[in-house]
Amino acid sequence: MSTRHTTEAVGSVRDTTEVIDRFNRAFIEHDTGLLAGLIAEDCVMESVQPAPGGELVRGGEACTAWWSAVIDDRATQFTPQEVIVAGERATIVWSYRFGAGPDQWVRGVNVMRVTGGRITEAFGFSKTAGEVPLAAESDAA
């Protein structure tokens, strides 16, 4: 049984699954045009870097520009591995390759919110390249 969340967008009806599918295709196909009409004016995005909190980007235009820079970078490849949709929320498990070397990739997750057929929130999390001390190691320092 489908639990698709249907929302109304300008001139059409898009549900969360359709919005996230189109968002992911923009990165896979390196096609910024697929973002058109997909990002809400009040969108808030938190990128995976810099640690620990990531870069906070506010506004549809700023979020679109940030994602477009990633999409336009043909030396990188974003690959969605799994998408989980629950109502207006979606979780994208992904890998991101930034070079041909065996260690030049990272795995991460985006937690998205789609309202009115547009992305309103996107929070990115990833594995870090550096070493993060365990709590027991932090207390000893």
Side-chain angles (χ1 to χ4, degrees):
M1 181 170 126
S2 173
T3 57
R4 298 179 117 187
H5 183 176
T6 303
T7 54
E8 190 158 339
V10 178
S12 67
V13 175
R14 290 186 292 230
D15 65 23
T16 303
T17 300
E18 293 167 337
V19 169
I20 297 303
D21 178 61
R22 192 165 135 194
F23 178 78
N24 285 338
R25 282 190 13 242
F27 289 89
I28 294 167
E29 300 172 12
H30 291 278
D31 183 356
T32 58
L34 290 171
L35 294 182
L38 213 58
I39 314 301
E41 289 183 27
D42 60 347
C43 183
V44 175
M45 187 272 288
E46 189 176 277
S47 71
V48 299
Q49 293 181 7
E55 177 185 359
L56 182 62
V57 180
R58 293 184 183 274
E61 191 173 314
C63 290
T64 300
W66 198 99
W67 282 317
S68 291
V70 175
I71 291 168
D72 283 340
D73 185 352
R74 299 251 176 204
T76 64
Q77 182 61 53
F78 172 84
T79 305
Q81 298 176 326
E82 182 176 10
V83 176
I84 302 163
V85 174
E88 64 182 18
R89 287 287 190 183
T91 303
I92 307 166
V93 179
W94 48 262
S95 64
Y96 178 73
R97 179 161 284 287
F98 48 90
D103 297 333
Q104 293 181 312
W105 67 281
V106 65
R107 185 173 295 156
V109 172
N110 279 9
V111 178
M112 315 289 284
R113 179 185 299 267
V114 174
T115 305
R118 295 176 191 256
I119 295 170
T120 56
E121 292 178 355
F123 299 104
F125 305 90
S126 75
K127 306 274 187 182
T128 61
E131 192 157 327
V132 177
L134 299 175
E137 294 171 349
S138 296
D139 291 342

